[in-house]
């Protein structure tokens, strides 16, 4: 994809990855982009780079704007390989005068590329450098989502280059938020938040307050993945505020895996009970629903109810995977419950309960285990469990 001038003399020069389908466990069904930005000024400056296999795309784009040898500064907001993988070759080509990064960024680059001799220039929150007619103000954003992460703010352009924050994994030919369908854009942004940043929500809240306290006036937010927010940057800031507060709705997810449809039948009965209480709910079968899509829906769901048959004295493997992934992302203030069928031992429900208790879910029932195939009475109990959860959701959300 050709460079795009996003501000006067400031270009998107990144790469579009149409083919990636897995981003360490996150299903990227529509690909992603690796955004990099080139400021043409007295000091020609490249903000961030791309994943190693896309180094030719980056170099090609740079050459379409200027001779890469003219680049004076690199700003490395984040060292994860999707933004830094091509650095060794790029540094050889560009021979930059300075590489600006956080202290943790320098450490991470040395640990990734084993080059102590690069011209690192460590910056911290509040430091400002001049490029010529514009300046860059740095803001460290530790653990959002790596220790090295930082933002670069260009006040003259009212542009925030936000690294991973506010991104979306979505490969498009368009570069700006107002050029794509808004509902899909926010779905991708929510999926990205729910699968990458959810566990850092308390830090996101602090960061949003810091940005507000700095009194910076934003015209555009340019993340390192996906579309650039130029039409309503405030909208994505408001969404991050909502998501990081972990505000939930009167919504429940019934997430299950089944062997011979007994656990599935129980799931549907629980769903019936939830519907009777006026709760919006979704039935998510892990045989057809990816863990990262469950987390997208979990972002605003008050109750997460998990069901698994028992296999080999434990829960089914897809459920173990789901719970491990979800627990790591740390949703808070949720209601939980477990259910499942079994043949003779029946450990799955207890094991699910243990995970949900460790994750500090509010458990409102010990869960329902049914031997082999549920009877009408068993299903009545499942409906009643759904209704109890529904009433608890209505009281809390
Ligand atoms: Fe897009 Fe944390 O890298």
């Amino acid at each position: 994809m050709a460079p795009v001038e996003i501000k006067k003399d400031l270009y998107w020069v990144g790469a579009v990855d149409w083919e990636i389908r897995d981003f360490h466990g996150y299903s990227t069904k529509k690909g992603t982009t690796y955004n990099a930005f080139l400021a043409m000024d007295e000091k020609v400056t490249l903000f961030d780079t791309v994943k190693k296999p896309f180094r030719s795309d980056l170099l090609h784009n740079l050459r379409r704007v200027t001779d890469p040898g003219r680049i004076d500064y690199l700003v490395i907001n984040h060292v994860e390989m999707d933004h830094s993988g091509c650095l060794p070759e790029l540094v050889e080509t560009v021979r930059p005068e300075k590489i600006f990064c956080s202290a943790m960024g320098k450490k991470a680059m040395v640990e990734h590329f084993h080059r102590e001799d690069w011209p690192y220039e460590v910056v911290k929150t509040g430091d400002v450098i001049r490029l010529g007619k514009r300046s860059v103000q740095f803001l460290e954003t530790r653990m959002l989502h790596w220790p090295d992460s930082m933002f670069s703010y260009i006040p003259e352009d009212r542009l925030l280059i936000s690294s991973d924050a506010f991104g979306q994994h979505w490969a498009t030919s368009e570069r700006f938020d107002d050029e794509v369908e808004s509902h899909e854009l926010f779905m991708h942004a929510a999926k990205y938040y729910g699968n990458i940043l959810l566990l850092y929500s308390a830090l996101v809240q602090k960061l949003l307050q810091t940005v507000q306290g700095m009194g910076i006036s934003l015209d555009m937010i340019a993340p390192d993945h996906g579309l650039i927010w130029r039409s309503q940057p405030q909208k994505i800031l408001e969404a991050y505020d909502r998501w990081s507060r972990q505000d939930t709705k009167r919504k429940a997810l019934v997430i299950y895996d089944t062997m011979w449809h007994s656990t599935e039948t129980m799931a549907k009965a629980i769903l019936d009970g939830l519907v009777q209480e006026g709760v919006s709910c979704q039935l998510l079968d892990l045989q057809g629903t990816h863990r990262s899509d469950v987390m997208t829906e979990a972002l605003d769901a008050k109750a997460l109810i998990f069901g698994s048959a028992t296999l080999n004295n434990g829960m089914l493997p897809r459920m173990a995977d789901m719970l491990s992934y979800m627990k790591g992302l740390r949703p808070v203030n949720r209601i939980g419950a477990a259910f499942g069928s079994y043949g003779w031992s029946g450990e799955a429900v207890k094991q699910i309960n243990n995970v949900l208790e460790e994750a500090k879910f509010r458990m409102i029932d010990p869960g329902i285990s049914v031997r082999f195939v549920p009877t009408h009475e068993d299903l009545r109990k499942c409906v009643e469990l759904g209704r109890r959860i529904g009433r608890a959701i209505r009281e809390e959300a």
Side-chain angles (χ1 to χ4, degrees):
M1 297 282 304
V4 174
E5 190 171 33
I6 66 167
K7 288 277 183 183
K8 182 153 177 21
D9 296 330
L10 209 155
Y11 298 84
W12 175 90
V13 288
V16 180
D17 186 346
W18 298 97
E19 285 152 3
I20 187 169
R21 289 294 176 269
D22 178 86
F23 205 102
H24 35 66
Y26 177 140
S27 141
T28 47
K29 283 180 275 198
K30 290 198 171 180
T32 192
T33 73
Y34 312 110
N35 298 339
F37 305 97
L38 182 69
M40 296 302 296
D41 212 317
E42 285 169 34
K43 292 291 185 186
V44 177
T45 303
L46 177 65
F47 295 84
D48 301 322
T49 72
V50 299
K51 197 174 173 182
K52 190 172 181 177
F54 294 85
R55 60 192 181 281
S56 310
D57 301 59
L58 174 65
L59 282 168
H60 190 50
N61 273 347
L62 292 173
R63 285 195 182 100
R64 289 160 106 165
V65 181
T66 189
D67 171 4
R70 282 193 58 211
I71 294 172
D72 301 288
Y73 294 162
L74 299 183
V75 173
I76 302 301
N77 286 308
H78 178 32
V79 182
E80 192 165 6
M81 288 288 207
D82 50 333
H83 308 292
S84 73
C86 68
L87 262 181
E89 283 191 15
L90 191 75
V91 172
E92 284 304 305
T93 306
V94 168
R95 305 234 168 238
E97 182 187 327
K98 290 178 180 174
I99 300 176
F100 293 96
C101 57
S102 65
M104 296 305 283
K106 176 182 174 184
K107 187 168 182 287
M109 270 187 273
V110 170
E111 287 169 346
H112 277 74
F113 306 112
H114 313 293
R115 296 296 301 261
E116 300 267 4
D117 58 322
W118 286 355
Y120 303 107
E121 191 80 18
V122 168
V123 291
K124 59 184 185 312
T125 294
D127 285 354
V128 179
I129 59 168
R130 279 225 75 81
L131 306 185
K133 65 186 179 204
R134 58 168 73 79
S135 57
V136 185
Q137 186 176 337
F138 297 105
L139 173 62
E140 288 178 87
T141 59
R142 279 194 181 199
M143 296 319 297
L144 290 175
H145 68 128
W146 273 25
D148 59 283
S149 302
M150 65 177 193
F151 288 174
S152 297
Y153 177 61
I154 302 177
E156 293 80 3
D157 294 312
R158 295 170 60 209
L159 166 67
L160 181 69
I161 297 174
S162 62
S163 186
D164 277 327
F166 312 115
Q168 329 93 47
H169 285 312
W170 189 15
T172 54
S173 53
E174 296 79 7
R175 296 277 68 82
F176 295 104
D177 58 347
D178 50 288
E179 298 174 322
V180 298
E181 204 277 310
S182 178
H183 179 76
E184 185 167 7
L185 173 65
F186 274 89
M187 186 280 289
H188 287 293
K191 181 171 182 176
Y192 188 97
Y193 190 91
N195 283 276
I196 296 177
L197 294 169
L198 185 63
L199 75 161
Y200 303 118
S201 287
L203 292 172
V204 173
Q205 271 292 310
K206 274 193 193 156
L207 176 68
L208 292 173
Q209 284 160 17
T210 304
V211 170
Q212 210 168 23
M214 287 165 73
I216 62 177
S217 159
L218 285 178
D219 180 57
M220 187 181 283
I221 299 176
D224 277 358
H225 296 289
L227 284 302
I228 295 164
W229 304 92
R230 78 171 171 190
S231 68
Q232 292 170 299
Q234 200 57 34
K235 271 200 158 181
I236 188 64
L237 291 171
E238 286 165 9
Y240 265 51
D241 183 40
R242 205 166 52 246
W243 296 332
S244 59
R245 286 178 196 279
Q246 299 221 32
D247 284 350
T248 52
K249 295 180 184 164
R250 287 185 177 182
K251 172 177 167 183
L253 306 182
V254 182
I255 305 148
Y256 71 96
D257 196 3
T258 195
M259 285 174 70
W260 295 105
H261 302 291
S262 289
T263 302
E264 178 186 3
T265 307
M266 295 171 76
K268 288 175 178 169
I270 292 168
L271 191 94
D272 275 352
L274 288 158
V275 172
Q276 285 174 31
E277 292 297 330
V279 169
S280 170
C281 41
Q282 292 187 28
L283 191 69
L284 300 174
D285 174 5
L286 290 178
Q287 292 181 28
T289 311
H290 194 272
R291 64 176 91 79
S292 55
D293 293 320
V294 173
M295 288 313 300
T296 312
E297 291 301 332
L299 194 54
D300 61 0
K302 183 68 188 175
L304 307 180
I305 307 150
F306 295 90
S308 173
T310 292
L311 175 75
N312 303 334
N313 304 111
M315 65 184 94
L316 287 167
R318 284 188 199 88
M319 182 55 69
D321 169 278
M322 180 69 242
L323 288 170
S324 163
Y325 187 72
M326 181 210 67
K327 193 176 161 207
L329 288 163
R330 289 185 219 159
V332 299
N333 302 325
R334 301 307 207 274
I335 291 169
F339 63 96
S341 77
Y342 69 100
W344 46 96
S345 56
E347 290 88 346
V349 167
K350 189 165 181 290
Q351 289 179 5
I352 294 171
N353 278 339
N354 288 344
V355 176
L356 297 182
E357 279 162 15
E358 282 169 20
K360 303 203 170 16
F361 276 47
R362 188 161 88 81
M363 306 299 288
I364 61 170
D365 193 274
I368 300 180
S369 291
V370 164
R371 199 170 165 106
F372 286 117
V373 176
T375 62
H376 287 298
E377 177 57 15
D378 292 328
L379 293 177
R380 189 196 62 73
K381 287 179 185 164
C382 289
V383 172
E384 185 47 38
L385 175 62
R387 294 197 64 169
R388 281 186 57 205
I389 296 168
R391 287 193 290 273
I393 292 170
R394 287 201 285 131
E395 281 163 17
E396 290 187 25

